[in-house]
Amino acid sequence: MGLLLAVWNVLGVISFDNEIRGLLVVLLGCAILMGSVWLIVSTNTGFRLGSLIAISAIFGWTLIMALIWALYGIGLQGARPVWEVQAVHVGNPSIANNAANPPPEILDDLPNPVTCAALGNRDCLPSAIEIVRTLGSSEQQAELDTIDVAAIAFEVDAFHDALADTDPRKLIGAARQAEVQRLVDEQRIRNEGLTLSDLKELAPELLEAAEDSGWLELGDWNLQSTQAAGEAITVASDYLVQADLGFGATDEQSNSFVVLDAYQQGGKPERLNNGVWERVSNKVITSAMPRHPSNYTVVQVQRSIYSEPVAGQAPPPEEVDSSEPVLSVLMQRNLGRFRLPGILVAIGSGLLFLASLLMLHTRDLEVRRRLEGEGTIT
């Protein structure tokens, strides 16, 4: 009775443990499915031959399964590709002779992160808003630079006129004008804070025109849009918050920063266009590379000016503190081993499958030899 109670308790514990229960279900399923096939084959061909046939079938099935894992990236998976932070440089990384704060060698030709007030200065980057004002069309200027004060005032008036006179949110007179001015100032901050990565996503043709005019020189680096560098920006932001750089402090006035631009260098060459020949040639060239070239990304951030949030209003836009230095976060792409487990399982299963087939073939030859020998004797 005591033994039965102990077994019952063990089964009760297992029934509530998902991992143990799942493992038992898999083992039981394999025993029933594979074992039933092995039993049927063994009763027809004998124990040894039936076992060898069943083992060959199992390894052939695992070979096919592992190949599907490796091709589609499912099943048993390894480490996924990630960005790994290599260094954080403070200040202008293009100054290579800075003995006090030497940048990594790969950052020597990175553009100076300080923006210029006007276009044409080769010692600094042109501001995105000046590129829009100079090279943009009237529609682009109206969308990215112009502040429609009348439209803002109309929205404010429509909102507050719809409120009851007893509603504490309703503003009148000078308070309403102050609200309009606040929204105008926030829109101005957003316009002035437009980065080159933002402009890359909104109007890439303006950046191409700026490069053709010689106003924007990137060297060996490629400017990335905010969307394309989203994963790298997330990794850099998390690293800065966790690192001892003052961004992870509890003081709200010192732990905020603004992401500026993102640059990329290295990796496999990208397609120049979507033409058939370009797609085919790029696929052949990249597939023929024995190793993946190192892929680097730099995300630049700068501390922002603290703005006291107002209850009941949206958070104010972050404004860059120009007195603070720019931080350049250098990251390298680690491709991981995402498909390696599936490939290893496929190789191991393939070798065992071939070995079992060789054993079956050897056995067939031996049986034929013995049968032919018996026929000669007879």
Side-chain angles (χ1 to χ4, degrees):
M1 183 61 68
L3 180 60
L4 292 177
L5 291 177
V7 173
W8 182 260
N9 291 332
V10 172
L11 293 178
V13 173
I14 291 176
S15 64
F16 289 99
D17 192 321
N18 294 330
E19 294 182 358
I20 298 178
R21 182 171 56 182
L23 179 61
L24 292 178
V25 169
V26 173
L27 293 178
L28 184 61
C30 293
I32 293 176
L33 296 177
M34 300 179 184
S36 60
V37 175
W38 166 79
L39 182 61
I40 295 174
V41 175
S42 297
T43 55
N44 294 332
T45 60
F47 176 78
R48 293 184 178 180
L49 180 58
S51 299
L52 190 57
I53 293 175
I55 291 174
S56 302
I58 290 174
F59 289 135
W61 172 73
T62 54
L63 172 61
I64 297 174
M65 179 187 65
L67 289 175
I68 295 176
W69 284 357
L71 289 175
Y72 292 95
I74 59 178
L76 190 61
Q77 301 173 353
R80 292 179 176 271
V82 294
W83 288 104
E84 295 181 346
V85 178
Q86 302 295 319
V88 178
H89 182 75
V90 181
N92 183 4
S94 61
I95 303 178
N97 57 354
N98 188 355
N101 185 25
E105 185 177 354
I106 193 174
L107 299 181
D108 289 346
D109 60 341
L110 191 69
N112 186 356
V114 178
T115 56
C116 309
L119 301 178
N121 190 346
R122 298 181 181 272
D123 296 331
C124 54
L125 278 177
S127 63
I129 197 63
E130 288 298 329
I131 293 179
V132 174
R133 291 168 179 170
T134 305
L135 301 176
S137 62
S138 58
E139 292 79 7
Q140 292 171 335
Q141 293 176 4
E143 180 181 0
L144 302 176
D145 184 31
T146 305
I147 301 177
D148 193 347
V149 181
I152 295 176
F154 177 79
E155 292 180 1
V156 172
D157 292 339
F159 174 77
H160 290 281
D161 290 341
L163 299 177
D165 295 337
T166 57
D167 195 322
R169 296 176 299 171
K170 187 169 184 177
L171 301 177
I172 58 175
R176 184 176 297 190
Q177 295 297 327
E179 177 67 10
V180 173
Q181 186 60 41
R182 183 185 67 83
L183 296 177
V184 170
D185 293 338
E186 290 185 356
Q187 184 61 42
R188 178 188 55 79
I189 294 175
R190 294 189 185 95
N191 292 346
E192 296 294 337
L194 183 70
T195 64
L196 295 177
S197 292
D198 294 334
L199 189 59
K200 176 79 172 181
E201 184 174 348
L202 299 174
E205 68 278 3
L206 297 184
L207 293 177
E208 296 178 0
E211 289 188 64
D212 296 339
S213 301
W215 296 337
L216 181 62
E217 296 182 358
L218 301 176
D220 295 333
W221 292 91
N222 300 315
L223 181 67
Q224 285 191 304
S225 65
T226 305
Q227 181 179 4
E231 182 184 355
I233 291 175
T234 302
V235 173
S237 301
D238 293 341
Y239 179 84
L240 292 175
V241 170
Q242 297 175 7
D244 188 16
L245 296 175
F247 294 112
T250 56
D251 184 9
E252 296 181 355
Q253 301 185 22
S254 63
N255 63 359
S256 58
F257 56 85
V258 178
V259 177
L260 301 179
D261 298 314
Y263 302 91
Q264 182 271 339
Q265 182 183 128
K268 290 187 175 181
E270 298 181 355
R271 296 197 306 265
L272 300 179
N273 53 64
N274 291 326
V276 176
W277 173 249
E278 178 64 21
R279 295 169 68 92
V280 173
S281 60
N282 181 267
K283 185 66 175 180
V284 172
I285 293 174
T286 55
S287 301
M289 291 183 176
R291 295 181 62 86
H292 292 273
S294 298
N295 189 6
Y296 295 96
T297 289
V298 174
V299 176
Q300 294 181 331
V301 303
Q302 194 170 10
R303 196 180 298 276
S304 61
I305 299 175
Y306 177 77
S307 298
E308 186 71 28
V310 180
Q313 296 180 357
E318 294 181 330
E319 186 175 4
V320 172
D321 188 354
S322 58
S323 62
E324 294 289 335
V326 176
L327 302 182
S328 300
V329 184
L330 174 64
M331 292 172 288
Q332 185 176 5
R333 187 66 168 176
N334 184 351
L335 298 178
R337 298 290 185 269
F338 185 65
R339 288 179 169 82
L340 182 61
I343 294 175
L344 293 179
V345 172
I347 294 175
S349 300
L351 294 176
L352 295 174
F353 179 61
L354 292 177
S356 60
L357 293 182
L358 181 60
M359 294 176 64
L360 285 172
H361 180 65
T362 303
R363 183 187 179 282
D364 289 342
L365 293 179
E366 181 63 20
V367 171
R368 180 182 300 178
R369 185 185 65 81
R370 292 186 180 185
L371 292 175
E372 291 177 354
E374 291 178 359
T376 303
I377 293 175
T378 301

